[in-house]
Amino acid sequence: RAEEAEGRTEVLVAELAAATARLVEVEDAANSKVAAAAASLRASEAACLGAVEAAQDAAEARRRAEQSFAAEAATAERAVGAESVAAAAAKNAEEDARRAKTLEI
């Protein structure tokens, strides 16, 4: 009986050693997967932050472009207004010149 018990003990010890080895392998694999997932998460976070920064840069560039277009439009309006004033002044000058010629005759 002692020999049988000793034999069973040896079998149980061997099974325990095998189970422990499998557990270590499973833990190592799980740790590797967790590390890979964490690295992927960090990469995704960096990509998202980069996208946010790019969007902010684009919004700022659009704001500057809109300001520039508004300034150009205001300049064009002033130019059109000055042109109209100049045209009106030229028309008045022509009319004054006609009147002056009429008075001379």
Side-chain angles (χ1 to χ4, degrees):
R1 284 189 182 182
E3 287 179 15
E4 285 179 20
E6 192 175 314
R8 277 185 263 147
T9 301
E10 288 176 9
V11 169
L12 291 175
V13 167
E15 288 177 357
L16 180 59
T20 301
R22 285 193 303 273
L23 178 61
V24 167
E25 287 176 12
V26 169
E27 285 179 345
D28 288 347
N31 287 338
S32 293
K33 287 181 182 179
V34 167
S40 176
L41 182 60
R42 285 190 296 275
S44 295
E45 180 182 23
C48 287
L49 291 174
V52 166
E53 188 174 329
Q56 289 172 340
D57 291 347
E60 177 60 22
R62 180 179 177 173
R63 185 191 63 76
R64 285 193 307 268
E66 287 173 350
Q67 284 180 337
S68 176
F69 293 147
E72 288 176 17
T75 300
E77 274 187 41
R78 286 192 298 276
V80 167
E83 194 175 290
S84 295
V85 168
K91 184 177 178 182
N92 288 337
E94 285 177 9
E95 289 176 7
D96 289 346
R98 278 191 215 120
R99 283 190 204 117
K101 282 185 181 181
T102 303
L103 292 174
E104 288 177 5
I105 296 177

Coordinates of all heavy atoms in Angstrom, one line a residue:
R1 N 0.8 -1.2 0.0 CA 0.0 0.0 0.0 C 0.9 1.3 0.0 O 0.5 2.2 -0.7 CB -0.9 0.0 1.3 CG -2.0 -0.9 1.2 CD -2.9 -0.7 2.3 NE -4.0 -1.7 2.3 CZ -5.0 -1.7 3.1 NH1 -5.0 -0.9 4.1 NH2 -5.9 -2.5 3.0
A2 N 1.9 1.2 0.7 CA 2.8 2.4 0.8 C 3.4 2.7 -0.6 O 3.5 3.8 -1.0 CB 3.9 2.1 1.8
E3 N 3.7 1.6 -1.3 CA 4.2 1.8 -2.7 C 3.2 2.4 -3.6 O 3.5 3.2 -4.4 CB 4.7 0.4 -3.2 CG 6.0 0.0 -2.6 CD 6.5 -1.4 -3.2 OE1 6.0 -1.8 -4.2 OE2 7.3 -2.0 -2.5
E4 N 1.9 1.9 -3.4 CA 0.8 2.4 -4.3 C 0.6 3.9 -4.0 O 0.4 4.7 -4.9 CB -0.5 1.7 -4.0 CG -0.5 0.3 -4.6 CD -1.8 -0.4 -4.3 OE1 -2.8 0.3 -4.0 OE2 -1.8 -1.6 -4.4
A5 N 0.6 4.2 -2.7 CA 0.4 5.6 -2.3 C 1.6 6.5 -2.8 O 1.4 7.6 -3.3 CB 0.4 5.7 -0.8
E6 N 2.8 5.9 -2.7 CA 4.0 6.7 -3.2 C 3.9 6.9 -4.7 O 4.2 7.9 -5.3 CB 5.2 5.9 -2.9 CG 6.5 6.7 -3.1 CD 7.7 5.9 -2.6 OE1 7.7 5.3 -1.5 OE2 8.7 5.9 -3.4
G7 N 3.4 5.8 -5.4 CA 3.2 5.9 -6.9 C 2.1 7.0 -7.2 O 2.3 7.8 -8.2
R8 N 1.0 7.0 -6.5 CA 0.0 8.0 -6.7 C 0.5 9.4 -6.4 O 0.2 10.3 -7.1 CB -1.3 7.7 -5.9 CG -2.1 6.6 -6.5 CD -3.4 6.4 -5.8 NE -3.1 5.2 -5.0 CZ -3.6 5.0 -3.8 NH1 -4.4 5.8 -3.2 NH2 -3.3 3.9 -3.1
T9 N 1.3 9.5 -5.4 CA 1.8 10.8 -5.0 C 2.7 11.3 -6.1 O 2.7 12.5 -6.5 CB 2.6 10.7 -3.7 OG1 1.7 10.2 -2.7 CG2 3.2 12.0 -3.3
E10 N 3.5 10.4 -6.7 CA 4.4 10.8 -7.8 C 3.6 11.2 -9.0 O 3.9 12.2 -9.7 CB 5.4 9.6 -8.2 CG 6.4 9.4 -7.1 CD 7.3 8.2 -7.5 OE1 7.1 7.6 -8.6 OE2 8.1 7.8 -6.7
V11 N 2.5 10.5 -9.3 CA 1.6 10.9 -10.4 C 1.0 12.2 -10.1 O 1.0 13.1 -11.0 CB 0.6 9.8 -10.6 CG1 -0.5 10.3 -11.6 CG2 1.2 8.5 -11.1
L12 N 0.5 12.4 -8.9 CA -0.1 13.7 -8.6 C 0.9 14.9 -8.6 O 0.6 15.9 -9.1 CB -0.8 13.6 -7.2 CG -2.0 12.7 -7.1 CD1 -2.4 12.6 -5.6 CD2 -3.1 13.2 -7.9
V13 N 2.1 14.6 -8.2 CA 3.1 15.7 -8.2 C 3.4 16.0 -9.7 O 3.6 17.2 -10.1 CB 4.4 15.2 -7.5 CG1 5.6 16.1 -7.8 CG2 4.1 15.1 -6.0
A14 N 3.5 15.0 -10.5 CA 3.8 15.2 -12.0 C 2.7 16.0 -12.6 O 2.9 16.9 -13.4 CB 4.0 13.9 -12.7
E15 N 1.4 15.6 -12.3 CA 0.2 16.3 -12.8 C 0.2 17.8 -12.3 O -0.1 18.7 -13.1 CB -1.0 15.6 -12.4 CG -1.3 14.3 -13.2 CD -2.5 13.6 -12.7 OE1 -3.2 14.0 -11.8 OE2 -2.8 12.5 -13.3
L16 N 0.6 18.0 -11.0 CA 0.6 19.3 -10.5 C 1.7 20.1 -11.2 O 1.5 21.3 -11.5 CB 0.9 19.3 -9.0 CG 1.0 20.6 -8.3 CD1 -0.3 21.4 -8.4 CD2 1.3 20.4 -6.8
A17 N 2.8 19.5 -11.4 CA 3.9 20.2 -12.2 C 3.5 20.6 -13.6 O 3.7 21.7 -14.0 CB 5.2 19.4 -12.2
A18 N 2.8 19.7 -14.3 CA 2.3 20.0 -15.6 C 1.2 21.1 -15.6 O 1.3 22.0 -16.4 CB 1.8 18.7 -16.2
A19 N 0.3 21.0 -14.6 CA -0.7 22.0 -14.5 C -0.1 23.4 -14.2 O -0.5 24.4 -14.8 CB -1.7 21.6 -13.4
T20 N 0.9 23.4 -13.4 CA 1.6 24.6 -13.0 C 2.3 25.2 -14.3 O 2.2 26.4 -14.5 CB 2.6 24.4 -11.9 OG1 2.0 23.9 -10.8 CG2 3.4 25.7 -11.5
A21 N 2.9 24.3 -15.0 CA 3.6 24.8 -16.3 C 2.6 25.4 -17.2 O 2.9 26.4 -17.9 CB 4.4 23.6 -16.9
R22 N 1.4 24.7 -17.4 CA 0.4 25.2 -18.3 C -0.1 26.6 -17.8 O -0.4 27.5 -18.6 CB -0.8 24.2 -18.4 CG -0.4 23.0 -19.3 CD -1.7 22.2 -19.6 NE -2.4 21.7 -18.5 CZ -2.2 20.6 -17.8 NH1 -1.2 19.8 -18.3 NH2 -2.9 20.2 -16.8
L23 N -0.3 26.7 -16.5 CA -0.7 28.0 -15.9 C 0.2 29.1 -16.2 O -0.2 30.2 -16.5 CB -1.0 27.8 -14.4 CG -1.4 29.1 -13.6 CD1 -2.7 29.6 -14.1 CD2 -1.5 28.8 -12.1
V24 N 1.5 28.8 -16.0 CA 2.6 29.8 -16.3 C 2.5 30.2 -17.8 O 2.6 31.4 -18.1 CB 4.0 29.3 -15.9 CG1 5.1 30.1 -16.5 CG2 4.1 29.1 -14.4
E25 N 2.3 29.2 -18.7 CA 2.2 29.5 -20.1 C 1.0 30.4 -20.4 O 1.1 31.4 -21.2 CB 2.1 28.2 -20.9 CG 3.4 27.4 -21.0 CD 3.2 26.1 -21.8 OE1 2.1 25.9 -22.4 OE2 4.1 25.3 -21.7
V26 N -0.1 30.0 -19.8 CA -1.4 30.8 -20.0 C -1.2 32.2 -19.4 O -1.6 33.2 -20.1 CB -2.6 30.1 -19.3 CG1 -3.8 31.0 -19.3 CG2 -2.9 28.8 -20.1
E27 N -0.6 32.4 -18.3 CA -0.3 33.7 -17.7 C 0.6 34.5 -18.6 O 0.4 35.7 -18.8 CB 0.3 33.6 -16.3 CG -0.8 33.2 -15.2 CD -0.1 33.1 -13.9 OE1 1.1 33.0 -13.8 OE2 -0.9 33.0 -12.9
D28 N 1.6 33.9 -19.1 CA 2.6 34.6 -20.0 C 1.9 35.0 -21.3 O 2.0 36.2 -21.7 CB 3.8 33.7 -20.4 CG 4.7 33.5 -19.2 OD1 4.6 34.2 -18.2 OD2 5.6 32.6 -19.3
A29 N 1.0 34.2 -21.8 CA 0.3 34.5 -23.0 C -0.7 35.7 -22.7 O -0.8 36.6 -23.5 CB -0.5 33.3 -23.6
A30 N -1.4 35.6 -21.6 CA -2.3 36.7 -21.2 C -1.6 38.0 -21.0 O -2.0 39.0 -21.4 CB -3.1 36.3 -19.9
N31 N -0.4 37.9 -20.3 CA 0.4 39.1 -20.1 C 0.8 39.7 -21.5 O 0.8 40.9 -21.6 CB 1.6 38.8 -19.2 CG 1.2 38.6 -17.8 OD1 0.1 39.1 -17.4 ND2 2.0 37.9 -17.0
S32 N 1.2 38.9 -22.4 CA 1.6 39.3 -23.7 C 0.5 40.0 -24.4 O 0.6 41.1 -25.1 CB 2.1 38.2 -24.6 OG 3.3 37.7 -24.0
K33 N -0.7 39.4 -24.3 CA -1.9 40.0 -25.0 C -2.3 41.3 -24.3 O -2.6 42.3 -25.0 CB -3.1 39.1 -24.9 CG -3.0 37.9 -25.8 CD -4.2 36.9 -25.7 CE -4.0 35.7 -26.7 NZ -5.1 34.8 -26.6
V34 N -2.2 41.4 -23.0 CA -2.5 42.7 -22.3 C -1.4 43.7 -22.7 O -1.8 44.9 -23.0 CB -2.4 42.5 -20.8 CG1 -2.4 43.8 -20.0 CG2 -3.6 41.7 -20.3
A35 N -0.2 43.4 -22.8 CA 0.9 44.3 -23.2 C 0.6 44.8 -24.7 O 0.7 46.0 -25.0 CB 2.2 43.7 -23.1
A36 N 0.2 43.9 -25.5 CA -0.1 44.2 -26.9 C -1.3 45.2 -27.0 O -1.3 46.1 -27.8 CB -0.3 43.0 -27.8
A37 N -2.3 44.8 -26.2 CA -3.5 45.7 -26.2 C -3.2 47.1 -25.7 O -3.7 48.1 -26.2 CB -4.6 45.0 -25.3
A38 N -2.3 47.1 -24.6 CA -2.0 48.4 -24.1 C -1.2 49.2 -25.1 O -1.4 50.5 -25.3 CB -1.1 48.2 -22.8
A39 N -0.3 48.6 -25.8 CA 0.5 49.3 -26.9 C -0.4 49.8 -28.0 O -0.3 50.9 -28.5 CB 1.6 48.4 -27.4
S40 N -1.4 49.0 -28.4 CA -2.3 49.4 -29.4 C -3.2 50.5 -28.9 O -3.4 51.5 -29.7 CB -3.3 48.2 -29.7 OG -4.2 48.6 -30.6
L41 N -3.6 50.5 -27.6 CA -4.3 51.6 -27.1 C -3.5 52.9 -27.1 O -4.1 54.0 -27.4 CB -4.8 51.2 -25.7 CG -5.7 52.3 -24.9 CD1 -6.9 52.5 -25.7 CD2 -6.0 51.8 -23.5
R42 N -2.3 52.8 -26.7 CA -1.4 54.0 -26.7 C -1.3 54.5 -28.1 O -1.3 55.8 -28.3 CB 0.0 53.7 -26.1 CG -0.1 53.5 -24.6 CD 1.3 53.5 -24.0 NE 2.1 52.3 -24.4 CZ 2.0 51.1 -23.8 NH1 1.3 50.9 -22.8 NH2 2.8 50.1 -24.3
A43 N -1.1 53.6 -29.1 CA -1.0 54.1 -30.5 C -2.3 54.7 -31.0 O -2.2 55.8 -31.6 CB -0.6 52.9 -31.4
S44 N -3.4 54.2 -30.6 CA -4.7 54.8 -31.0 C -4.9 56.1 -30.3 O -5.4 57.1 -31.0 CB -5.8 53.8 -30.5 OG -5.8 52.6 -31.2
E45 N -4.5 56.2 -29.1 CA -4.6 57.5 -28.4 C -3.7 58.6 -29.0 O -4.1 59.7 -29.3 CB -4.2 57.3 -26.9 CG -4.2 58.6 -26.1 CD -3.7 58.4 -24.7 OE1 -3.0 57.5 -24.4 OE2 -4.1 59.3 -23.8
A46 N -2.5 58.2 -29.4 CA -1.6 59.1 -30.1 C -2.2 59.5 -31.4 O -2.1 60.7 -31.8 CB -0.2 58.5 -30.3
A47 N -2.8 58.6 -32.2 CA -3.4 58.9 -33.5 C -4.6 59.9 -33.3 O -4.7 60.8 -34.0 CB -3.8 57.6 -34.2
C48 N -5.4 59.6 -32.2 CA -6.5 60.5 -32.0 C -6.0 61.9 -31.6 O -6.6 62.9 -32.1 CB -7.4 59.9 -30.8 SG -8.3 58.5 -31.4
L49 N -5.0 62.0 -30.8 CA -4.5 63.3 -30.4 C -3.9 64.0 -31.6 O -4.1 65.2 -31.8 CB -3.4 63.1 -29.3 CG -3.9 62.7 -27.9 CD1 -2.7 62.4 -27.0 CD2 -4.9 63.7 -27.3
G50 N -3.3 63.2 -32.5 CA -2.8 63.8 -33.7 C -3.9 64.4 -34.6 O -3.8 65.4 -35.2
A51 N -5.0 63.6 -34.7 CA -6.1 64.0 -35.5 C -6.8 65.3 -34.9 O -7.2 66.2 -35.6 CB -7.1 62.9 -35.6
V52 N -6.9 65.3 -33.6 CA -7.4 66.5 -32.9 C -6.6 67.7 -33.2 O -7.1 68.8 -33.6 CB -7.6 66.3 -31.4 CG1 -7.9 67.6 -30.7 CG2 -8.7 65.3 -31.1
E53 N -5.3 67.6 -33.1 CA -4.3 68.7 -33.4 C -4.4 69.1 -34.8 O -4.5 70.3 -35.1 CB -2.9 68.2 -33.0 CG -1.9 69.4 -33.1 CD -0.5 69.0 -32.6 OE1 -0.4 68.1 -31.8 OE2 0.4 69.6 -33.2
A54 N -4.5 68.2 -35.7 CA -4.7 68.5 -37.1 C -6.0 69.3 -37.4 O -6.0 70.2 -38.2 CB -4.6 67.3 -38.0
A55 N -7.1 68.8 -36.7 CA -8.3 69.5 -36.9 C -8.3 70.9 -36.3 O -8.8 71.9 -36.9 CB -9.4 68.7 -36.2
Q56 N -7.6 71.1 -35.2 CA -7.5 72.4 -34.6 C -6.6 73.3 -35.6 O -7.0 74.5 -35.8 CB -6.8 72.3 -33.3 CG -7.7 71.8 -32.2 CD -7.0 71.5 -30.9 OE1 -5.8 71.4 -30.9 NE2 -7.7 71.4 -29.8
D57 N -5.6 72.8 -36.1 CA -4.7 73.5 -37.1 C -5.5 73.9 -38.3 O -5.5 75.0 -38.8 CB -3.5 72.7 -37.5 CG -2.5 72.5 -36.4 OD1 -2.6 73.2 -35.4 OD2 -1.6 71.7 -36.5
A58 N -6.4 73.0 -38.8 CA -7.2 73.3 -40.0 C -8.2 74.4 -39.6 O -8.5 75.3 -40.5 CB -7.9 72.0 -40.4
A59 N -8.8 74.3 -38.5 CA -9.8 75.3 -38.1 C -9.1 76.7 -38.0 O -9.7 77.7 -38.4 CB -10.4 74.9 -36.7
E60 N -7.9 76.7 -37.4 CA -7.2 78.0 -37.3 C -6.8 78.5 -38.7 O -7.0 79.7 -38.9 CB -5.9 77.8 -36.5 CG -5.1 79.0 -36.3 CD -5.8 80.2 -35.7 OE1 -6.7 80.0 -34.9 OE2 -5.3 81.3 -35.9
A61 N -6.4 77.6 -39.6 CA -6.1 78.1 -40.9 C -7.3 78.6 -41.6 O -7.3 79.6 -42.3 CB -5.5 76.9 -41.7
R62 N -8.5 77.9 -41.4 CA -9.7 78.4 -42.0 C -10.1 79.8 -41.5 O -10.5 80.6 -42.2 CB -10.8 77.4 -41.8 CG -12.1 77.8 -42.4 CD -13.2 76.8 -42.1 NE -14.5 77.3 -42.6 CZ -15.6 76.6 -42.7 NH1 -15.6 75.4 -42.3 NH2 -16.7 77.2 -43.2
R63 N -9.9 79.9 -40.2 CA -10.3 81.2 -39.5 C -9.4 82.3 -40.1 O -9.9 83.4 -40.5 CB -10.1 81.1 -38.0 CG -10.5 82.4 -37.3 CD -10.1 82.4 -35.8 NE -8.6 82.4 -35.7 CZ -7.8 83.4 -35.8 NH1 -8.3 84.6 -36.2 NH2 -6.5 83.3 -35.7
R64 N -8.1 82.1 -40.3 CA -7.2 83.1 -40.9 C -7.6 83.4 -42.3 O -7.5 84.5 -42.7 CB -5.7 82.6 -40.8 CG -5.2 82.7 -39.4 CD -3.6 82.5 -39.3 NE -3.2 81.3 -40.0 CZ -3.0 80.2 -39.5 NH1 -3.2 80.0 -38.2 NH2 -2.5 79.1 -40.2
A65 N -7.9 82.3 -43.1 CA -8.3 82.5 -44.5 C -9.6 83.3 -44.5 O -9.7 84.3 -45.4 CB -8.5 81.2 -45.1
E66 N -10.6 83.1 -43.7 CA -11.8 83.8 -43.7 C -11.5 85.3 -43.3 O -12.1 86.2 -43.9 CB -12.8 83.2 -42.7 CG -13.4 81.9 -43.2 CD -14.3 81.2 -42.1 OE1 -14.3 81.6 -41.0 OE2 -15.0 80.3 -42.5
Q67 N -10.6 85.5 -42.4 CA -10.3 86.9 -42.0 C -9.6 87.6 -43.2 O -9.9 88.8 -43.5 CB -9.3 86.9 -40.8 CG -10.0 86.7 -39.5 CD -9.0 86.7 -38.3 OE1 -7.8 86.5 -38.5 NE2 -9.5 87.0 -37.2
S68 N -8.7 86.9 -43.9 CA -8.1 87.4 -45.0 C -9.1 87.8 -46.2 O -9.0 88.8 -46.8 CB -7.0 86.5 -45.6 OG -6.4 86.9 -46.7
F69 N -10.0 86.8 -46.4 CA -11.0 87.1 -47.4 C -11.9 88.3 -47.1 O -12.3 89.1 -47.9 CB -11.9 85.8 -47.7 CG -11.1 84.7 -48.3 CD1 -11.4 83.4 -47.9 CD2 -10.1 84.9 -49.2 CE1 -10.8 82.3 -48.5 CE2 -9.4 83.8 -49.7 CZ -9.7 82.5 -49.4
A70 N -12.2 88.4 -45.8 CA -13.1 89.5 -45.3 C -12.3 90.8 -45.5 O -12.9 91.8 -46.0 CB -13.4 89.3 -43.9
A71 N -11.0 90.8 -45.2 CA -10.2 92.0 -45.4 C -10.1 92.4 -46.9 O -10.2 93.5 -47.3 CB -8.8 91.8 -44.8
E72 N -9.9 91.3 -47.8 CA -9.9 91.6 -49.2 C -11.2 92.1 -49.7 O -11.3 93.0 -50.6 CB -9.5 90.3 -49.9 CG -8.1 89.9 -49.8 CD -7.8 88.6 -50.4 OE1 -8.5 88.1 -51.3 OE2 -6.7 88.0 -50.1
A73 N -12.3 91.6 -49.2 CA -13.7 92.0 -49.6 C -13.9 93.5 -49.2 O -14.4 94.3 -50.0 CB -14.7 91.1 -49.0
A74 N -13.4 93.8 -48.0 CA -13.6 95.2 -47.5 C -12.7 96.1 -48.4 O -13.2 97.2 -48.8 CB -13.2 95.3 -46.1
T75 N -11.5 95.7 -48.7 CA -10.7 96.5 -49.6 C -11.3 96.7 -51.0 O -11.3 97.8 -51.5 CB -9.3 95.9 -49.7 OG1 -8.7 95.8 -48.5 CG2 -8.4 96.7 -50.7
A76 N -11.9 95.6 -51.5 CA -12.6 95.7 -52.8 C -13.8 96.7 -52.7 O -14.0 97.4 -53.7 CB -13.0 94.3 -53.3
E77 N -14.5 96.6 -51.6 CA -15.7 97.5 -51.5 C -15.2 98.9 -51.4 O -15.8 99.8 -52.1 CB -16.4 97.1 -50.2 CG -17.4 96.1 -50.4 CD -18.3 95.9 -49.1 OE1 -18.7 96.9 -48.5 OE2 -18.6 94.7 -48.8
R78 N -14.1 99.2 -50.7 CA -13.6 100.6 -50.6 C -13.2 101.0 -52.0 O -13.4 102.2 -52.4 CB -12.5 100.7 -49.6 CG -13.0 100.6 -48.2 CD -11.9 101.0 -47.2 NE -10.7 100.1 -47.2 CZ -10.6 99.0 -46.6 NH1 -11.6 98.6 -45.8 NH2 -9.5 98.2 -46.6
A79 N -12.5 100.1 -52.8 CA -12.0 100.5 -54.1 C -13.2 100.8 -55.0 O -13.2 101.7 -55.8 CB -11.2 99.3 -54.7
V80 N -14.3 100.0 -54.9 CA -15.5 100.2 -55.8 C -16.1 101.6 -55.4 O -16.5 102.3 -56.2 CB -16.5 99.1 -55.6 CG1 -17.8 99.4 -56.2 CG2 -15.9 97.8 -56.3
G81 N -16.1 101.8 -54.1 CA -16.7 103.1 -53.6 C -15.9 104.3 -54.1 O -16.4 105.3 -54.6
A82 N -14.5 104.1 -54.0 CA -13.7 105.2 -54.5 C -13.8 105.4 -56.0 O -13.8 106.5 -56.5 CB -12.2 104.9 -54.1
E83 N -14.0 104.3 -56.7 CA -14.1 104.3 -58.2 C -15.4 105.1 -58.5 O -15.5 105.9 -59.4 CB -14.2 102.9 -58.7 CG -14.0 102.8 -60.2 CD -13.9 101.4 -60.7 OE1 -12.9 100.8 -60.4 OE2 -14.9 100.9 -61.3
S84 N -16.5 104.8 -57.7 CA -17.8 105.4 -58.0 C -17.7 106.9 -57.7 O -18.2 107.7 -58.5 CB -18.9 104.8 -57.1 OG -19.1 103.5 -57.4
V85 N -17.0 107.3 -56.6 CA -16.8 108.7 -56.3 C -16.0 109.4 -57.4 O -16.4 110.5 -57.8 CB -16.1 108.8 -54.9 CG1 -15.6 110.3 -54.7 CG2 -17.0 108.4 -53.8
A86 N -15.0 108.7 -57.9 CA -14.2 109.3 -59.0 C -15.0 109.4 -60.2 O -14.9 110.4 -60.9 CB -12.9 108.4 -59.2
A87 N -15.8 108.4 -60.5 CA -16.6 108.5 -61.7 C -17.6 109.7 -61.6 O -17.9 110.4 -62.6 CB -17.4 107.2 -61.9
A88 N -18.2 109.8 -60.4 CA -19.2 110.9 -60.2 C -18.5 112.2 -60.3 O -19.0 113.2 -60.9 CB -19.8 110.7 -58.8
A89 N -17.3 112.3 -59.8 CA -16.5 113.6 -59.9 C -16.2 113.9 -61.3 O -16.2 115.1 -61.8 CB -15.2 113.5 -59.0
A90 N -15.8 112.9 -62.1 CA -15.5 113.1 -63.5 C -16.7 113.5 -64.2 O -16.6 114.4 -65.1 CB -14.9 111.8 -64.1
K91 N -17.9 112.9 -63.9 CA -19.1 113.3 -64.6 C -19.5 114.8 -64.3 O -19.8 115.5 -65.2 CB -20.2 112.4 -64.1 CG -21.5 112.6 -64.8 CD -22.6 111.7 -64.4 CE -23.9 112.0 -65.1 NZ -25.0 111.1 -64.7
N92 N -19.3 115.1 -63.0 CA -19.6 116.5 -62.6 C -18.6 117.5 -63.3 O -19.0 118.6 -63.7 CB -19.4 116.7 -61.1 CG -20.6 116.0 -60.3 OD1 -21.7 115.8 -60.9 ND2 -20.4 115.7 -59.1
A93 N -17.3 117.0 -63.4 CA -16.4 117.9 -64.1 C -16.7 118.1 -65.5 O -16.6 119.2 -66.1 CB -15.0 117.3 -63.9
E94 N -17.2 117.0 -66.2 CA -17.6 117.1 -67.6 C -18.8 118.1 -67.7 O -18.9 118.9 -68.6 CB -18.0 115.7 -68.1 CG -16.8 114.8 -68.4 CD -17.3 113.4 -68.9 OE1 -18.5 113.2 -69.1 OE2 -16.4 112.6 -69.0
E95 N -19.7 117.9 -66.8 CA -20.9 118.8 -66.8 C -20.5 120.2 -66.6 O -21.0 121.2 -67.3 CB -22.0 118.4 -65.8 CG -22.6 117.1 -66.2 CD -23.6 116.6 -65.1 OE1 -23.8 117.3 -64.1 OE2 -24.1 115.5 -65.2
D96 N -19.6 120.4 -65.6 CA -19.1 121.8 -65.4 C -18.4 122.4 -66.6 O -18.6 123.5 -67.0 CB -18.2 121.8 -64.2 CG -18.9 121.6 -62.9 OD1 -20.1 121.7 -62.9 OD2 -18.2 121.3 -61.9
A97 N -17.6 121.5 -67.3 CA -16.9 121.9 -68.5 C -17.9 122.3 -69.6 O -17.7 123.3 -70.3 CB -16.0 120.9 -69.0
R98 N -19.0 121.5 -69.8 CA -20.0 121.8 -70.8 C -20.7 123.1 -70.5 O -21.0 124.0 -71.4 CB -21.1 120.7 -70.8 CG -20.6 119.5 -71.6 CD -21.8 118.5 -71.9 NE -21.2 117.2 -71.9 CZ -21.5 116.2 -71.1 NH1 -22.5 116.4 -70.2 NH2 -20.9 115.1 -71.1
R99 N -21.0 123.3 -69.2 CA -21.7 124.6 -68.8 C -20.8 125.8 -69.1 O -21.2 126.8 -69.5 CB -22.0 124.5 -67.3 CG -23.3 123.7 -67.0 CD -23.7 123.9 -65.6 NE -24.5 122.8 -65.2 CZ -24.2 121.9 -64.2 NH1 -23.1 122.1 -63.5 NH2 -24.9 120.9 -64.0
A100 N -19.5 125.5 -68.8 CA -18.6 126.6 -69.0 C -18.5 127.0 -70.5 O -18.4 128.1 -70.9 CB -17.2 126.3 -68.4
K101 N -18.5 126.0 -71.3 CA -18.4 126.2 -72.8 C -19.7 126.9 -73.3 O -19.7 127.7 -74.1 CB -18.2 124.8 -73.5 CG -16.8 124.3 -73.5 CD -16.7 123.1 -74.4 CE -15.3 122.6 -74.3 NZ -15.2 121.4 -75.2
T102 N -20.8 126.5 -72.7 CA -22.1 127.1 -73.0 C -22.1 128.5 -72.7 O -22.6 129.4 -73.4 CB -23.2 126.3 -72.3 OG1 -23.2 125.0 -72.6 CG2 -24.6 126.9 -72.8
L103 N -21.5 128.9 -71.5 CA -21.5 130.3 -71.1 C -20.5 131.1 -71.9 O -20.8 132.3 -72.1 CB -21.1 130.3 -69.6 CG -22.1 129.8 -68.6 CD1 -21.5 129.8 -67.2 CD2 -23.4 130.5 -68.7
E104 N -19.5 130.5 -72.5 CA -18.5 131.2 -73.3 C -19.1 131.5 -74.7 O -18.7 132.5 -75.3 CB -17.3 130.3 -73.5 CG -16.4 130.2 -72.3 CD -15.2 129.3 -72.5 OE1 -15.0 128.8 -73.6 OE2 -14.5 129.0 -71.5
I105 N -20.0 130.7 -75.1 CA -20.6 130.9 -76.4 C -21.5 132.0 -76.4 O -21.8 133.0 -76.3 CB -21.3 129.7 -77.0 CG1 -20.3 128.6 -77.1 CG2 -22.0 130.0 -78.3 CD1 -20.9 127.3 -77.5

